[in-house]
Amino acid sequence: MLIAALSAAVPTAPAHAGGDPFAQIAATNFDIVAQGVQALATSGNPRAAAVIDALRDGKLYAWKWPRPDAPLYIRSATGFVDARSGAPVEAPAAINLRRVIVNDSVRAAIATAEGALGLFAKDPAARRTAAEALYQSADPGALSLIERALTNEKNAGVAQVLREAAAAALLKSDNGSGSTRIAAVDELATRSDLSARNLLASLHSEPPPVAAAIAGAIHDIDRRLKLWSLVENLYYGVSLGAVLLLAASGLAITFGVMGVINMAHGEMIMTGAYTTFVVQQLVAATMPGLNEFGLLIAVPAAFVVAGGLGIVIERCLIRFLYGRPLETLLATWGLSLVLQQAVRSIFGATNQDVTSPAWMSGSLDVGGLVLTVNRLWIILFALLVLGGLMATLRWGGLGRSIRAVMQNRRMAAVMGIRTPWIDALTFGLGSGIAGMAGVALSQIDNVSPNLGQNYIVDSFIVVVVGGVGNLWGTLFGAVLLGIVDKFVEPFEGAVLAKIIVLVFLILFIQRRPQGLFPLKGRAAEA
Amino acid sequence: MRLDRANIATLSCVLGGAAVLAAMNLLIPAVSPLHVPDFVIAIAGKYLCYAILALAIDLVWGYAGILTLGHAAFFALGGYAMGMYLMREIGARGVYANPTLPDFMVFIGWTHLPWYWYGFSHFWFALAMVVVVPGTLAFVFGWFAFRSRVSGVYLSIITQALTYALMLAFFRNDMGFGGNNGMTDFKDVLGFPLNRESTETGLMLVTATVLSLSFLLARAMIHSRFGKVLIAVRDAEPRTRFLGYRPESYKLVVWTVSAIIAAIGGALYVPQVGIINPSEFAPGNSIEAVIWVAVGGRGTLYGAILGAMLVNLGKTWLTSALPDIWLFAIGGLFIVVTLFLPRGITGLFTTRQPPKGSKQASAATEASMREAAR
Amino acid sequence: MSEPTLLYLDGVTVSFDGFKALNELSMVLEPGEMRAVIGPNGAGKTTMMDVITGKTRPDQGRIVFGADIDLTKLDEPAIARLGIGRKFQQPTVFETLTVRDNLLLALAGDRSPRFTLWARESADEHAQLDRLLATIRLVQERDRRAAELSHGQKQWLEIGMLLAQDPKLLLIDEPAAGMTDAETAETAELLREINRTRSVVVIDHDMAFVRALGVKITVLDEGCVLAEGSIDAIQDNPHVIEVYLGR
Amino acid sequence: MLSIEDVDLYYGASHALRGVSVTARIGEVTCILGRNGVGKTSLLRAIFGLQPIRSGHIRWENRELDRLPPYQRARAGLAMVPQGREIFPRLSVRENLETGFAMLPRPLRRLPDEIFELFPVLRGMLGRRGGDLSGGQQQQLAIARALVTRPRLLILDEPTEGIQPSIIKEIGRVIERLAARGDMAILLVEQYFEFARDLAASYFVMERGEIVLSGRRGDMDETAVRAHLTV
Amino acid sequence: PPAKAATAIAATPETGPIKVGILHSLSGTMAISEVPLKDVMLMLIAEQNKKGGVMGRPLEPVVVDPASNWPLFAEKAKQLLSVDKVAAVFGCWTSVSRKSVLPVFEHLNGILLYPVQYEGQECSRNVFYTGAAPNQQAIPAVDYLMNQVGVKRWVLEGTDYVYPRTTNKILEAYLKKKGFGSADIMINYTPFGYSDWQAEVAKIKSFGSAGKKTAVVSTINGDANVPFYKELGNRGIKATDIPVIAFSVGEQELAGIDTKPLVGHLAAWNYFESVDTPANKEVVAAFKKFTNNDKRVFNDPMEAHYIGFNIWVKAVEKAATTNHDAVIDAMIGVAHPNLSGDYATMMPNHHLTKPVLIGEVQENGQFNTVWQTPGLVVAQPWSPYLPESKNLIGDWLPPMSCGSYDVVAGKCLGNHKA
Ligand SMILES: Nc1ncnc2c1ncn2[C@@H]1O[C@H](COP(=O)(O)OP(=O)(O)OP(=O)(O)O)[C@@H](O)[C@H]1O
Ligand SMILES: Nc1ncnc2c1ncn2[C@@H]1O[C@H](COP(=O)(O)OP(=O)(O)OP(=O)(O)O)[C@@H](O)[C@H]1O
Ligand SMILES: [Mg+2]
Ligand SMILES: [Mg+2]
């Protein structure tokens, strides 16, 4: 029945003069290959699915130079099988073979082919994507096929999509009574996404009742879309905020708490990112099984590497500068130059490829929203980092000792606090946090020697807006800036948006010269 | 006093040095080994401009304790004002031979000159703008900032934001300042071809003179009672209020003066390097300029000049001598200076205060910085 | 023809997140009067000076200076320019300036940048400075940076700065703190000297010192006046003994 | 006991301590007197290692302190009430007190009750920021803070400065009590002569960085001492 | 004329080693792109010396680091020409760096070989543009999408600076000419190093869901690309839905990205490392050997340097001197095989003839050529699609000898150039 279905499905399939679809696929011209795929899909040949899959996965091989019988082989785990028969053949000499490569047109052909084939696949997910494809193509010709699929579709979700696909197809075709068409319109209205809207918008010369229905549908689709876009901007703002927060939280320690004007902060982030790269390489080399989790290993690794580096820096450099905080600017600036060049010399000036594990790629559809998974993770991670940081500071009065040392180093020593210890620890902590931020940023940005430079200014801005030395402030500052930016962007474009944010910042500081949460009273001057 | 001698020395170094270079370039025939090539004149002129910027920064940072991370903005604005004049000077000699419109405007398809370009064909007008525009910006910015008692790093950051915003703004082509390519391919200033040796030398000498003058001005300011008040403000701003001083107006004066000095430096810079574009606004530039001051020695005017000169000399030399690893060298230099020359290179010459400042003194600055850091 | 009061605090209240540091405090200071203010730690004495000098804004109440100037409407410099000088409880001086320059900046005169830019040190300013340095016994330290002074020396320097301002009204917070008994006695003498021409409000905990001043005393407690009167009256006042003097 | 043997201390060029020798016994109060700027605080700074000494020795419980950093000395049982309070302005009163915990073993990490008996006001202000306290309150906090670390050598630099008479009396009694407990040496710098005289078991008078007069309570010649305190 | 006087200044020694200036940023933001160009130059020079140098004289590279700082570019150019007296300079990437050195080269009458595709609207006697002019990259790319892919809606997405703005202006004019309405063209700019693409990509997606085949023509600059493509990948925008064709993304940039999600997206260049010709394989292998790192990739600007260098060598040998004027004249008409086959010839307008290749991204980070201009394309530095330049041509052969000649008015604009 599958065959029947298919032949019904694509009645308009143009048969290529050459006849044999396999020969066409073996051809070198992409357009012919594409026709071959289409023809094969509709030919009802039982090998169709296997061959097309092989083609998609780049497992399909042809003879390097033209041959009348145009042989095709599928490379399997064990060896080669003949594409036509599926019978195993002894491996031909590699030099004679060429992989059949595909381009966009071929891929498109494969997609529709699979759409047709997929409708009757075992796996509901596959059926769903197939249905989606058909919905998108809204091809009246496919109507009968869709209906046939609907009749024996058990899965509610898939059925829904099929109904929508049917509605789309119906509306595109010009048959169907007014009532059925109106029903179809409502069907699409429920779906209320851009594609539905556009499809409806593209319908003209409908009978009045239908036209009215369409207008209505479009109207409330628009309303919903407007709402969603608001939520969407909010989300963008928050996720940008999360990135800023990550970038800044390390600085909130080294600068906010310690008062070190830490120009090398960006390089700490960079260190974290490169650690990620190295870890991924090592994992890939030593235990490929864990590839997916290289990132998770990188987080503590980055913390240790950057943190360690931080401690070294503090011991060898910063500690001589307490009491002359302004000079830390000079030293750390020099340091950042050195670190950048060091990375450039070790890894080369070009970007490094940090891969995203599967669980961090792709996106979720929540209502009208498309939330990219990596951003979700980053938001979560940012909050975790901040939370962890606060916890650490609570723990064993560490935070108290740190603040005591920073407020009056000599008196802290008199109270028996190991000041050198605290200094090193604090700077290490801040650097380590920056390192962890680097892991996250490696997922959304270039891993290059300049990575740090892209974040240093924003980081300082965030810390300052939040009010120096106030972690909550850093949180709010980051989110505030993120949201402002993302709400301006749609109207003014990205470039002006950034300018406006900066101006906003300047004015904001006028109003709140001590940041979001200023200290009041005598303590402020003390 | 000791300091004074150092100052006089700097002055004579700047002027004398410039004069000698000029002479050796113009009078001595090119064949002679003693001849100073134009290249040297050109970079000397460039350094002198940087020195002016450094001086301006030291005035506000070293004496009023305002750590500005956006002074390059005024430098660049001055540069743009001058650039606009030079652009108009080109006249019909541009590639599109448009008598009024600069090439880049023709290029983005504008048909007539925007109003804010009027007048820039006159040198005097451009000069006025060099002072007025950055001066006004600085005044307005400072007036708001100081009046609402923005201080310490909060001020530093908004100065940074200011220059950053300006950079992005000037990047935009439709601002009418040449987008990120900025302005270049200048022909001549006041009729003197820019690429003629004598013009280059002349510009260099002018720059040296301007530097000396602004140096004297700055010195006069900080040695007056005004200067003492500035230092008092730097140490304990709240306390000065109870003596009846208004710190904000003091800061505003020195801030605006400093901005104007920087702007003039920028105006001299452009004809000598032959290009002005938004990257001059880059936050990094301002920070680098602050670095020069720190290297030379914050709070000693001649230190600022020295720092600017040395760092840039180092940069010029290292980028050719060790192109692949020069950052190690220059970065290392900065670190070494902070560690071993707490008061910058000039710290080597003066022994006005006990090394590293006494415990209490440092505690005091620490406190005041904490103050600032909040 | 009774001339107007010099300073009049009228129901001044200052509270910090709920806690009332000053509570409906009212007080009158006659021109040329010297007033000693005592009271338990935390009674609100320093806060009182804060509100007079504009450092802290009161939540309620008026502070009238001279005929009809409401100080609560003015900011610190404006108040200082009216001729109200203050010495802080914690000595606060300009650490990196020399002792002499500290005094120079305090000297009465125009405070505007326009003036200070051109100001040259006049002969009598010079003389004044020398006199001051002598008074506060820092002649040797004149060219040392204030940061290098001992605690007590800073106290003296600040008193010197106060004198230099030549104000109508001096607010002096704990001058005797950290002074030897002998110095304390001299300070009292100095203040009486000053009081010939100016009005003074002085806070201290050293009863010997207060006695030496021999003036009317106001006792603050929990932000309002507990008692007022001569030293002997105060010292026998059971409340004062209870909350302040102890037995 | 604490023994200081001819210590010299310089600030840059200026010679602030000239061969100062002082001893302070456990179980009694040792008092250092002197006018402003004679070097009292400098001496205390030297003892705590806050200012390096040029020559001389500082021995505590016959252990050389000279090389130790301040926090090690604190851990050796020293505690100080510095001149000018040096409260941590942006820590709460409680936190100010708890800074002492850093050097204490876990079990000892609680605030001794005596400090609240001594300074009842503090109890009501635990949440307030140290910097917001009044001068006197800060002074009280500073003393309390020093006691948190259970010191065996308590160094007090003009502890009565800015404190109301009743509490000064109270402090006097406490100092006596602590001394009487016999496990603590107390080094007291004072300018408030009566206060010092009533407490001191032995006293040292300084003049321009030198010890010019010393002795025990019994043989104190008051007029001579006062002479050194007047100008 | 000033040129002659200038020659005196920049006269290069006629004996001893021939110095060759390399003016590429080795630090700062542009190092990412420019360092490989320095490497390839060093390799080419080394190999030339193995062959006995030029005219029997060894070549000596003079490497300097202008550190992505435009005024420093000018300073370094001055130094190379007037102090080191180099025979030619290979360098610059960004337009602004070229603009900043241009006056120097014209005044000191030096020779600059500029290897990067650029916005055109320039044609200096002292510069040889070995990269593509817009009509050698952008236009054919759009043609491909229009004709082969059947694109009906266009997103022109670029970084906000001169190259993208000009290119997009040209493309817009071109598309309008081809009858696309403004409704079907969306132009959008983002700042340098832009990294949060969520909103922008969402915009593109909705623009693309109008039912017509949509494509993105990307002039996004270096750093911003990685996050852009990552966002595309995560949003599941596949090449089959909305193909993106980029003009600034080559093998070098892809080396920094996980290409799986990008498979099928396009780039237009005049060369791909993957083109399979013996010459190419040889050079690429040589480069990997030279840098002894077989992860290194080769890209279009590197090929441009390869061609430019060889043409310059031939020109010097033809002129039998390193004298700038002689070499400048000799360069015109010299040809050298492209690595993609066929010949690159230096035209009188100081640009090269080039083939245009459209490639699709493959998993392995290489491009798979899916289309190629039938013949070679001659550069039009002055775009015929922009009113202000439609009458202009550049031709440095006498009698015209002019960089911007108005064929209508029949006179040479910017008279100083001649
Ligand atoms: N900013 C503030 N926040 C909270 N409480 C404050 C603040 N400033 C002052 N206080 C409280 O107000 C009260 C009055 O303080 P004030 O300094 O005026 O006391 P005082 O009379 O000067 O005491 P002392 O004699 O110790 O100097 C004190 O309890 C103090 O803790
Ligand atoms: N940080 C410093 N730098 C330079 N000199 C200092 C420093 N601190 C104190 N001095 C000087 O050392 C001498 C002793 O100072 P010290 O503080 O020990 O005096 P003191 O006896 O504590 O006086 P007081 O009773 O006023 O506290 C004083 O002359 C002071 O000027
Ligand atoms: Mg008080
Ligand atoms: Mg003392």
Side-chain angles (χ1 to χ4, degrees), chain B residues 5 53 59 61 85 88 108 156 192 213 219 270 320 335 341:
Chain B
R5 216 177 299 114
L53 175 57
L59 191 55
W61 185 33
Y85 161 73
R88 305 284 277 109
I108 53 176
S156 310
F192 300 101
L213 290 181
R219 215 184 135 272
V270 170
S320 312
I335 295 175
L341 305 176

Side-chain angles (χ1 to χ4, degrees), chain E residues 50-67:
Chain E
K50 281 208 213 78
K51 295 190 222 132
V54 180
M55 302 187 304
R57 294 165 59 188
L59 297 178
E60 177 187 324
V62 183
V63 182
V64 295
D65 177 15

Side-chain angles (χ1 to χ4, degrees), chain C residues 32 34 172 184-198 200 202 208-215:
Chain C
M34 167 145 66
I172 309 177
T184 310
E186 283 168 31
T187 314
E189 180 48 44
L190 182 66
L191 290 186
R192 278 209 301 283
E193 173 67 38
I194 294 168
N195 180 228
R196 295 234 176 72
T197 50
R198 298 177 193 73
V200 181
V202 54
F209 173 72
V210 175
R211 173 173 290 280
L213 292 175
V215 295

Side-chain angles (χ1 to χ4, degrees), chain A residues 255 317 323-327 330 338 341-342 406 409 460 464 467-468 498-499 502 505 509-510 513-514 524-525, chain B residues 61 144-145 148 153-154 157 161 164-165 168-169 291 298 324 327-328 335 338 342 365-366 369-371 373-374:
Chain A
F255 170 63
L317 190 57
R324 358 184 227 134
L326 293 175
E327 271 142 64
L330 176 53
V338 170
Q341 189 56 39
M406 300 316 156
R409 174 162 279 96
F460 269 100
V464 164
V468 178
K498 194 122 181 61
I499 298 179
L502 291 166
L505 168 80
I509 294 291
Q510 305 298 334
Q514 301 289 314
E525 300 121 39
Chain B
W61 185 33
F144 281 111
S148 43
V153 289
Y154 293 90
I157 290 303
Y164 195 9
L168 294 173
I291 298 295
R298 170 189 178 217
D324 296 310
L327 280 176
F328 285 132
I335 295 175
T338 27
T365 38
E366 186 170 0
M369 181 60 196
R370 298 254 161 285
E371 170 74 42
R374 276 183 287 103

Side-chain angles (χ1 to χ4, degrees), chain A residues 522, chain C residues 16 21 41-47 89 205, chain D residues 128 132 134 136-137:
Chain A
R522 294 176 176 170
Chain C
F16 304 100
N41 295 127
K45 303 183 292 297
T46 302
T47 309
Q89 186 166 5
H205 290 294
Chain D
R128 210 174 280 180
D132 288 341
S134 80
Q137 290 165 339

Side-chain angles (χ1 to χ4, degrees), chain B residues 235 243-246 250 360, chain C residues 75 81 96 105 111 125 147:
Chain B
D235 290 354
L243 288 181
Y245 293 99
R246 292 199 175 280
Y250 278 76
Q360 281 184 1
Chain C
D75 67 352
R81 291 176 185 192
T96 55
L105 292 191
R111 300 316 203 193
E125 279 181 327

Side-chain angles (χ1 to χ4, degrees), chain A residues 37 319 407 488 502:
Chain A
V37 172
R319 73 174 167 128
Q407 286 175 35
V488 180
L502 291 166

Side-chain angles (χ1 to χ4, degrees), chain B residues 358-361, chain C residues 141 144 147-154 178, chain D residues 11-12 14 16-17 34-43 45 51 83 157-158 189 191 206:
Chain B
S358 71
K359 266 274 186 307
Q360 281 184 1
Chain C
E141 277 77 12
R144 293 177 72 180
E148 302 173 1
L149 296 183
S150 81
H151 183 77
Q153 290 168 319
K154 285 179 184 162
Chain D
Y11 292 106
S14 71
L17 293 183
R35 275 203 316 281
N36 295 137
V38 295
K40 304 183 295 297
T41 300
S42 303
L43 176 60
R45 284 203 200 118
Q51 192 70 28
Q83 191 165 25
D157 197 345
E158 309 197 12
V189 166
Q191 303 206 350
M206 292 184 71

